[in-house]
Amino acid sequence: MNDPVRLLIHGASGRMGQSLLRLCAEREDCRVVAAVARKVGQRVIDGVPQFAASELSAVPAFDVAIDFSLAEAFDPVLALCVERGAALVSGTTGLDEAQRAAIDAAGSRIPLLWAANFSLGVAVLNDLVERAAAALQGWDCDIVEAHHAQKKDAPSGTALALGASAAQGGAHARYASLRAGDIVGEHTVQFTTAGERIELVHRAGNRDIFARGALHAAANLVGRKPGLYRLRDLL
Ligand code: NAD
């Protein structure tokens, strides 16, 4: 068997980070060599070395970083991956235009995948939305998303990606966002005209669906040529 892929988890203490660490521990094809969060308490947890954001430059060698942190934490992990020639998988949302341009530029140096949503169901939903928009010219298109009360950005990255799919089909989407309780993530894309309405709905029941997709993508990204990859290239 090949050596396990060496992973850096960025945003390790967060909801997604914890899901990634738990699922990675169940896999034999990857090993977490560094868990990075804004602050650290214990230096090693379950055999995984912990690093604070301020210690990022001191992490050991890794093959691929998986980043689910915050927009304000994104630039240093991108710079580290470019400096080390390591791959990057990121699901961090709320990135601004300069950060998106930095991703495009880094694609000439390292293999890189950024995706607004790592679930297979949402990948299929994007496809359905584009086809529905193309078939329903002139209908209103509205995207309603709901997430837990702590989520910082709105509309969600997934809602914006669904809007882009609708635009590919010729529709102009409008957005509405709800922030409440512990909702993991719900997206409804609604097409409406006089007298009828279609709703396409995706509900995420837990964060493992995103973490599994990100781990799978990370394992598949290592060893590839520099470039910007899409989730569908790696599934
Ligand atoms: P969270 O608030 O629970 O966790 C954030 C993590 O980032 C924490 O570990 C925190 O310590 C770390 N962090 C904060 N500042 C940092 C810094 N300066 N340097 C390094 N680490 C820092 O958030 P979450 O719910 O786990 O979500 C994380 C991100 O992933 C959000 O942007 C969210 O929208 C996104 N997300 C994307 C998907 C997807 O499929 N693409 C799915 C779920 C969540």
Side-chain angles (χ1 to χ4, degrees):
M1 202 182 110
N2 294 335
D3 287 340
V5 168
R6 297 168 300 173
L7 287 178
L8 179 148
I9 305 289
H10 192 248
S13 64
R15 285 168 281 254
M16 281 301 299
Q18 291 295 298
S19 179
L20 285 160
L21 288 168
R22 181 170 42 76
L23 290 176
C24 192
E26 295 168 4
R27 296 175 65 134
E28 291 184 352
D29 62 345
C30 52
R31 181 167 59 88
V32 181
V33 297
V36 183
R38 196 164 66 82
K39 291 188 195 149
V40 282
Q42 282 171 258
R43 277 288 157 197
V44 178
I45 300 176
D46 295 335
V48 176
Q50 310 285 312
F51 294 84
S54 57
E55 302 164 330
L56 194 58
S57 59
V59 297
F62 63 96
D63 301 307
V64 53
I66 303 183
D67 163 63
F68 282 83
S69 59
L70 299 177
E72 59 261 35
F74 177 75
D75 297 354
V77 74
L78 177 64
L80 179 76
C81 289
V82 170
E83 184 190 311
R84 302 269 188 107
L88 173 62
V89 169
S90 175
T92 298
T93 58
L95 302 181
D96 63 23
E97 266 182 38
Q99 291 174 311
R100 306 204 67 85
I103 289 178
D104 291 346
S108 63
R109 313 270 304 271
I110 58 170
L112 202 162
L113 164 67
W114 180 88
N117 195 298
F118 280 86
S119 88
L120 178 61
V122 167
V124 172
L125 180 61
N126 270 291
D127 190 39
L128 294 174
V129 166
E130 181 177 338
R131 285 161 51 194
L136 303 171
Q137 297 291 324
W139 289 40
D140 289 334
C141 175
D142 293 276
I143 299 176
V144 183
E145 56 101 345
H147 283 86
H148 55 88
Q150 287 76 35
K151 184 168 174 64
K152 292 206 167 148
D153 51 315
S156 68
T158 301
L160 294 170
L162 289 165
S165 296
Q168 289 285 325
H172 177 74
R174 294 172 301 199
Y175 301 94
S177 301
L178 296 174
R179 295 288 172 266
D182 63 352
I183 301 168
V184 175
E186 296 184 3
H187 293 85
T188 301
V189 184
Q190 180 174 293
F191 292 93
T192 315
T193 192
E196 55 181 321
R197 178 162 62 145
I198 291 176
E199 289 179 344
L200 298 168
V201 185
H202 181 268
R203 293 192 180 89
N206 62 57
R207 289 179 178 81
D208 288 2
I209 56 171
F210 311 124
R212 271 197 203 94
L215 282 167
H216 182 80
N220 278 281
L221 202 56
V222 171
R224 291 195 185 235
K225 289 190 306 224
L228 296 177
Y229 290 82
R230 294 167 307 175
L231 195 52
R232 72 175 83 145
D233 299 327
L234 303 174
L235 287 176

